[in-house]
Amino acid sequence: MTISYNWLCDYLPVKPTPEELSVILTAVGLEVESLERFESVKGSLEGLIVGEVLSVEKHPDADKLRLTKVNIGNGEPLSIVCGAPNVAVGQKVIVAPIGSTIYPASGEPMTMKKAKIRGAESFGMICAEDEIGLGTGHDGILVLDAALQPGLTARELFNPAQDWVFEIGLTPNHMDAMSHIGVARDICAFLNNQENTQIYHVRRPGISAASKAANALQIGVEVKNTEACPRYCGQSITGVKVGPSPSWIQHRLQAIGVRPINNIVDITNYVLHETGQPLHAFDAAEIKGGKVVIQNLPTGTPFLSLDGKERKLDEGDLMICDGENNPLCIAGVFGGISSGVKDTTSSIFLESAHFSATGIRKTSVRHGLRTDAAVRFEKGVDIGLAPFALERAVALIGELAHGAPASEVADVYPVPAEQASVDVTYQYINKLSGHQYAPEKVKNILCSLGFTIQSETATQLRVSVPLHKPDITIPADIVEEVMRIDGLDNIPIPEFINMVPSRQSQPDKERVKEKMAEYLAGNGFSEIFTNSITNSQYYKHLDQDSLVKMINSLSADLDTMRPSMLETGLERIAYNLNRRNDDLLFFEFGKTYRKEAVGDYPETEHLSLYLTGQKLPETWMHKAQPVDFYYLKGYVQNMLQVLGLQNPQMEVGPDVHGLSKPFTITVNGKVVAVFGSVTPQKLKEFDIKQEVLYADFYWSSILEQLQTKDTFFEEITKFPVVRRDLALILDKQVSFATVETAARSVKTTLLQHINLFDVFESEKLGAGKKSYAVSFTFQDKQKTLTDQETDALMNKLIKAFETQLQAEIRK
C-alpha cells in the first residue's frame, strides 16, 4: 500500500520528518518497505532561472540558429545560441545555465555545459516546455509573463509539487490502515503511548455545509439482498461541471500511483484513499425508473463494463440496477460503460455502501477484476464510515465541481452493526506478550485506537471493539494491538527460556527430505516447484471419475489436481527448452491426488527427477555426453543407498503411460520407485524433441521403510572386505537385474555389493548364450572373514544361480 507523506501530515497534530515516520510506522507493524521521492515535475526545476532576452542576432554560419544575450539577474548577460524560431527581444524565458540539469518529458536528463555551436560559444540553454518537463509542446521556447523579473527561480514560479511516498507492507489483518486517516490513527496512538497522554488525535477533515440545489432530484434506493449489502447510502447532486481536477488533488493521486481522470472520479478516489471507504458516482441521467435497486440478476445476464467488455453475470454477482432492472454497476467491483460520469454529465447519484467481503471476493475473482474498491471490500470496510465518506465527497464536489445536493441522504441500514465486546485479563496480556504492561498503559493504547472501556476490575477489562477493526474478536487480538503500539522492540529478551522437551518421532521426515535435497543440489540438480493444479486434457487415458476436478477453476487449462508428477515437470522442461536452456537436471517434492469416493481424496507424496540434455558439456578433452538410462539409474541407486534402504529389488516392468519399459524398485515387497525414459508420444504432447529421463520415488512408501533411528552415519569398520569373482554363462534374455535378485535371495548380511564388470558374447559359449563377469564383495563388521567362510558363501551363491537361472559357472 502507498501513503503520501504530505497527505498523511494533514491528519497529524505534529509533523515528524519522513525518516521519523518510517521508524514509527515500522514500529507499529506497518512495515515501510521503501521511501521514495515524488516530484510532479522531474527535478523540480532545480537550477532553472527566469531570464530576459536582451538581443537576438542571426548566426553567421547557420540559418536556423540565433545568437542571444540573456539577462538572468545575476552579473553579466549570458551568451546563448538558440534554435527556436520564436525567440525575440524582450521575452521572459526559462534559462538553464551551466551546471543545471534539465529533465525532458521524454529522454534522458541533460546537464548544461559550456559549448561551442558552429563556432559560437553558448553558456546555457533557453528552454521549451517539453525540455524541462512542463508539457509536450516543442514548437518553440516557453514564453513567460512579461511582468516577471529576471533572476526569479523557475521553482518559485511554477511551484512543482514535491512529496515523499511510503510503500507499506500491509498485513491482511490491518484493513483499518488501508487509508491515510487509518495510518494517522496508529501514529497518534503511538505518540500517545510514548508520552503517556491522550492529547494526540487524528485531525479529521472539516466538512462545510453544502448549499441545497434549487430543484430536487429524488432517486430512491431499494436493497433486495441485505445480506450482501447490509448498508447503502446515496445522494443526488445536480449542477455538476465535469472537468480537470485542481493540481493539488492531481498531485496527491499521482504520488500514490493513481491516474487523475476528471474532478468527479478523482474526488471518489481521493476520499477512498483518505478514509478507506470506496465510492461510486453514477450519471443520474442513466438511472431509469427514478431509483436504484441492489439485487442479483440471473446467470448469463450480459453486462457491458467500463472497460468496454461484455461480461456474462453469475447469479452470485451483486448488481446495482436502475428501476427498470438495467444493470448499472457490479457492486463494489466495477462500473458500467453507460452509467459512468462523462464530460457532458450534469447530475450524478453518489453511492457510499458496505458490501459483503465474501461476495465481493468471489465476484472479483470470477471476472478477473482486482480494483482498489474490491480489494478494500474483500478485507473489510468500516460499516459506520459510509455516511461520513459520502458527506466528505459531496462537500468536495460542491467545492471543485460546483455541484449541489438535490436530495436528502438515503441511508438503508436495516440491521445496525453492533460493536463486539472482548474480555481480557492483565495477567493474560503479560503472559502472552512476555512483558509486564501497566494497566494504565494498556487502557491508554486501546483508547487511542478507538476502543472503549465497557467495564474494568483490578485484574481484567471488557472493551468494546470499534467497527473499523472487524478482525479483533479474541483476547489474543487485544494483546497484539497493545504490543505493536508499544513497540515490539520493547519486548525484553528473558534471561531464561523455559522449554518442555518433546520426543521427536523417527525418522525425522523433514530431516530426511532436507538430506535428499542437499544430495541432489550438490550433484547439480535444481529444485523446482510446479503447480499441483493442471490440465485435465493430459489425463484422458485415466478413469475420469478418479480425477479431482476443480469446482471453481481459475482457467480452462487449470481444472484438475494432478494425479501424476510427470506432466507438470514436462511443462517446465518444455518452458526451458523453448528458451534454449537445453541441459536440465530437475528435482521436485510434491503431491498427487486422486478421488476414491465423494469426500475421500487421498494425497500421495513424491520425489521426482527429470533429466535431459548433456551430462557433460563439450570441451577440448572430451565430446559432449548426453544423459542416458544408466546415468539416471546410478542416481536412483545412490539415493536409495543414502536413504539407508536395504536390499532393494529391481526389475523391468511393462510399458506404462508416459514411460517406456520402466524399471520398478521394491523394498520389502513395496514399490518405492519407478524410473525410465519418457515415451516419444508423451514428449510430443509438450513439443519436446530430445530425450527426457524420469524417476518417481514414492516418498510416502520410502518413509515407511526407513528405520526408526537415524542411519545417516555409522563408524567405519576396521575389518577388511573380501572380493570374489564369478563368470556365469546364461541365456541371453537373462538380465543382470535377475542375477542380482537371485544373489539377494541368499539370506546373508555379509554380502555388501554386487557388480557387473564384463559382458561377453560368442558362438563359442553356445547358441543364445552370454557370459557375465560379476564381482561379489563380502564384509563382516565384527571380525575378519576366513577363506572357509567366504567359500561357503560363494557355494550358496553358485547353487542359487544354477537352480534359479540354470547358470553354468565358467572355470
Side-chain angles (χ1 to χ4, degrees):
M1 184 184 130
T2 307
I3 292 293
S4 157
Y5 169 74
N6 291 337
W7 196 348
L8 179 62
C9 287
D10 284 352
Y11 313 113
L12 295 177
V14 294
K15 190 173 183 179
T17 66
E19 292 77 14
E20 290 171 338
L21 270 181
S22 293
V23 174
I24 293 173
L25 290 171
T26 300
V28 299
L30 308 179
E31 183 180 359
V32 175
E33 296 179 342
S34 67
L35 175 62
E36 297 182 356
R37 187 80 169 173
F38 167 78
E39 298 170 316
S40 60
V41 178
K42 187 68 175 175
S44 297
L45 307 177
E46 193 71 43
L48 307 187
I49 304 173
V50 174
E52 180 181 7
V53 180
L54 302 179
S55 65
V56 179
E57 298 178 4
K58 189 175 180 296
H59 194 293
D61 296 324
D63 293 338
K64 294 184 178 181
L65 297 180
R66 302 289 186 271
L67 304 180
T68 67
K69 293 285 187 179
V70 183
N71 173 24
I72 60 170
N74 182 18
E76 292 293 322
L78 299 180
S79 296
I80 298 177
V81 178
C82 179
N86 65 328
V87 64
V89 174
Q91 291 175 335
K92 301 297 171 61
V93 295
I94 296 294
V95 177
I98 292 174
S100 63
T101 300
I102 61 172
Y103 295 83
S106 61
E108 297 297 320
M110 181 187 306
T111 299
M112 295 296 105
K113 299 178 181 179
K114 179 181 176 181
K116 183 171 285 190
I117 303 174
R118 293 290 182 93
E121 289 186 334
S122 182
F123 294 86
M125 178 178 177
I126 303 176
C127 304
E129 65 175 27
D130 70 321
E131 293 170 332
I132 55 176
L134 286 177
T136 58
H138 195 69
D139 296 334
I141 59 173
L142 179 62
V143 180
L144 307 175
D145 186 348
L148 296 175
Q149 294 297 314
L152 178 70
T153 66
R155 184 172 175 180
E156 293 174 318
L157 175 62
F158 293 101
N159 192 27
Q162 294 180 306
D163 202 351
W164 288 96
V165 178
F166 301 93
E167 188 67 37
I168 295 176
L170 202 61
T171 53
N173 63 323
H174 283 310
M175 52 71 54
D176 57 301
M178 293 189 72
S179 65
H180 285 75
I181 288 179
V183 172
R185 184 190 302 114
D186 278 0
I187 294 172
C188 288
F190 178 86
L191 296 174
N192 283 330
N193 178 66
Q194 292 294 104
E195 300 182 19
N196 194 26
T197 182
Q198 278 288 318
I199 64 172
Y200 297 105
H201 300 284
V202 176
R203 297 168 54 189
R204 293 173 73 90
I207 300 176
S208 56
S211 301
K212 295 289 183 67
N215 299 315
L217 176 61
Q218 296 296 334
I219 296 178
V221 174
E222 180 183 0
V223 181
K224 291 187 176 181
N225 187 345
T226 55
E227 183 178 349
C229 178
R231 188 172 194 177
Y232 191 95
C233 299
Q235 190 170 19
S236 302
I237 304 171
T238 59
V240 171
K241 294 182 179 179
V242 179
S245 297
S247 59
W248 67 269
I249 200 170
Q250 290 194 38
H251 292 157
R252 288 197 168 179
L253 292 175
Q254 289 169 343
I256 61 172
V258 177
R259 179 176 63 89
I261 298 175
N262 59 52
N263 50 4
I264 302 300
V265 176
D266 291 351
I267 287 169
T268 61
N269 284 329
Y270 184 87
V271 174
L272 165 65
H273 289 278
E274 178 183 59
T275 67
Q277 171 64 48
L279 303 173
H280 190 75
F282 298 92
D283 187 336
E286 300 294 333
I287 301 176
K288 310 301 181 184
K291 68 175 181 179
V292 295
V293 182
I294 297 86
Q295 62 182 345
N296 298 86
L297 296 177
T299 297
T301 302
F303 173 67
L304 195 60
S305 55
L306 194 59
D307 55 3
K309 295 181 181 179
E310 182 177 282
R311 302 176 186 275
K312 298 297 183 182
L313 300 178
D314 183 85
E315 63 180 1
D317 298 332
L318 188 67
M319 301 298 296
I320 311 297
C321 304
D322 63 16
E324 298 178 1
N325 282 338
N326 299 310
L328 304 175
C329 170
I330 303 176
V333 179
F334 210 50
I337 196 168
S338 61
S339 63
V341 174
K342 300 173 277 291
D343 292 342
T344 56
T345 298
S346 59
S347 299
I348 65 172
F349 179 76
L350 191 61
E351 166 194 283
S352 179
H354 184 93
F355 300 114
S356 162
T358 303
I360 295 298
R361 171 66 178 175
K362 290 180 178 179
T363 295
S364 173
V365 171
R366 187 181 296 122
H367 295 289
L369 296 169
R370 300 290 293 160
T371 59
D372 281 345
V375 169
R376 280 161 176 78
F377 281 125
E378 288 172 12
K379 295 182 182 299
V381 173
D382 180 0
I383 196 171
L385 190 60
F388 171 78
L390 180 64
E391 187 181 3
R392 170 67 166 153
V394 169
L396 287 173
I397 290 172
E399 178 184 344
L400 305 179
H402 310 290
S407 71
E408 297 298 325
V409 174
D411 188 357
V412 180
Y413 195 17
V415 183
E418 295 183 2
Q419 292 180 258
S421 296
V422 178
D423 294 323
V424 62
T425 65
Y426 295 117
Q427 181 185 10
Y428 179 78
I429 293 174
N430 296 335
K431 179 181 178 181
L432 191 61
S433 66
H435 186 42
Q436 298 297 314
Y437 289 103
E440 290 304 317
K441 177 182 282 287
V442 172
K443 291 188 288 185
N444 183 47
I445 289 174
L446 294 176
C447 290
S448 295
L449 290 173
F451 293 82
T452 54
I453 308 298
Q454 289 183 322
S455 62
E456 63 175 307
T457 66
T459 58
Q460 73 173 28
L461 283 173
R462 169 171 286 185
V463 296
S464 180
V465 180
L467 293 176
H468 62 257
K469 288 187 174 292
D471 60 295
I472 305 293
T473 57
I474 59 177
D477 297 329
I478 300 293
V479 179
E480 180 189 357
E481 294 296 285
V482 172
M483 291 175 65
R484 72 181 186 87
I485 296 301
D486 187 59
L488 296 177
D489 291 341
N490 292 331
I491 304 296
I493 300 175
E495 295 182 5
F496 301 98
I497 299 177
N498 296 324
M499 297 179 63
V500 178
S502 61
R503 182 179 180 275
Q504 178 66 49
S505 61
Q506 296 292 343
D508 186 338
K509 296 181 180 180
E510 290 303 317
R511 183 180 175 189
V512 174
K513 184 176 179 180
E514 187 65 25
K515 179 86 174 178
M516 193 52 54
E518 289 178 356
Y519 169 79
L520 290 168
N523 280 276
F525 283 77
S526 299
E527 185 170 8
I528 61 173
F529 298 91
T530 61
N531 195 347
S532 57
I533 305 175
T534 186
N535 194 335
S536 61
Q537 295 300 309
Y538 296 150
Y539 310 107
K540 292 180 180 180
H541 63 286
L542 296 179
D543 178 7
Q544 296 300 295
D545 290 337
S546 68
L547 299 180
V548 182
K549 297 289 186 69
M550 304 295 295
I551 295 176
N552 294 316
S553 59
L554 297 175
S555 70
D557 293 334
L558 297 173
D559 60 349
T560 301
M561 302 295 287
R562 65 185 174 199
S564 164
M565 298 287 292
L566 176 60
E567 286 74 17
T568 52
L570 291 178
E571 286 180 337
R572 295 303 92 202
I573 294 282
Y575 180 89
N576 280 270
L577 294 180
N578 290 338
R579 287 154 181 80
R580 303 306 304 270
N581 188 14
D582 298 333
D583 305 327
L584 306 171
L585 299 177
F586 287 159
F587 76 94
E588 178 182 17
F589 288 95
K591 290 183 178 181
T592 58
Y593 309 83
R594 72 180 187 276
K595 177 182 176 183
E596 294 286 352
V598 176
D600 184 10
Y601 304 100
E603 301 178 9
T604 306
E605 293 185 88
H606 296 259
L607 167 58
S608 297
L609 308 185
Y610 310 87
L611 296 78
T612 189
Q614 307 296 330
K615 61 182 177 182
L616 289 176
E618 184 178 20
T619 69
W620 65 272
M621 298 175 62
H622 53 72
K623 295 182 179 180
Q625 299 180 27
V627 297
D628 54 25
F629 173 81
Y630 298 102
Y631 188 66
L632 173 62
K633 179 185 175 184
Y635 275 116
V636 171
Q637 291 178 319
N638 289 344
M639 290 167 65
L640 295 177
Q641 184 176 2
V642 170
L643 288 166
L645 295 181
Q646 301 295 323
N647 302 324
Q649 306 295 312
M650 186 183 306
E651 62 181 17
V652 181
D655 287 0
V656 297
H657 187 78
L659 292 181
S660 176
K661 295 182 180 178
F663 272 63
T664 300
I665 298 179
T666 58
V667 175
N668 297 326
K670 275 198 170 185
V671 177
V672 297
V674 175
F675 66 96
S677 179
V678 181
T679 62
Q681 294 82 0
K682 177 60 71 173
L683 295 178
K684 188 176 181 181
E685 288 183 38
F686 297 88
D687 197 26
I688 297 175
K689 298 179 175 61
Q690 64 187 53
E691 184 181 22
V692 177
L693 298 165
Y694 172 70
D696 185 15
F697 292 85
Y698 301 154
W699 195 247
S700 300
S701 298
I702 287 175
L703 292 176
E704 292 174 4
Q705 299 292 327
L706 296 183
Q707 299 181 23
T708 56
K709 63 178 182 178
D710 289 337
T711 57
F712 292 118
F713 61 88
E714 61 181 16
E715 183 181 0
I716 297 176
T717 181
K718 60 184 178 181
F719 300 105
V721 299
V722 177
R723 169 175 165 164
R724 294 289 177 89
D725 297 341
L726 276 181
L728 306 174
I729 299 176
L730 302 159
D731 291 337
K732 280 189 176 182
Q733 66 269 23
V734 176
S735 66
F736 176 67
T738 308
V739 174
E740 192 171 15
T741 301
R744 295 294 182 188
S745 68
V746 176
K747 302 301 181 184
T748 177
T749 60
L750 302 179
L751 179 58
Q752 303 296 317
H753 300 291
I754 306 170
N755 180 49
L756 174 66
F757 62 88
D758 187 37
V759 179
F760 176 70
E761 294 185 13
S762 172
E763 292 297 328
K764 296 179 180 179
L765 297 175
K769 297 291 185 178
K770 64 181 176 182
S771 174
Y772 278 163
V774 184
S775 66
F776 302 89
T777 304
F778 303 96
Q779 186 178 45
D780 190 332
K781 297 179 181 180
Q782 304 300 322
K783 61 183 181 66
T784 301
L785 285 173
T786 64
D787 288 342
Q788 292 81 359
E789 291 171 326
T790 306
D791 290 341
L793 289 170
M794 288 300 298
N795 290 333
K796 289 182 180 180
L797 290 172
I798 291 171
K799 183 178 180 180
F801 295 144
E802 291 175 339
T803 304
Q804 299 180 32
L805 307 179
Q806 290 73 51
E808 179 185 343
I809 309 302
R810 295 181 64 187
K811 304 299 184 181

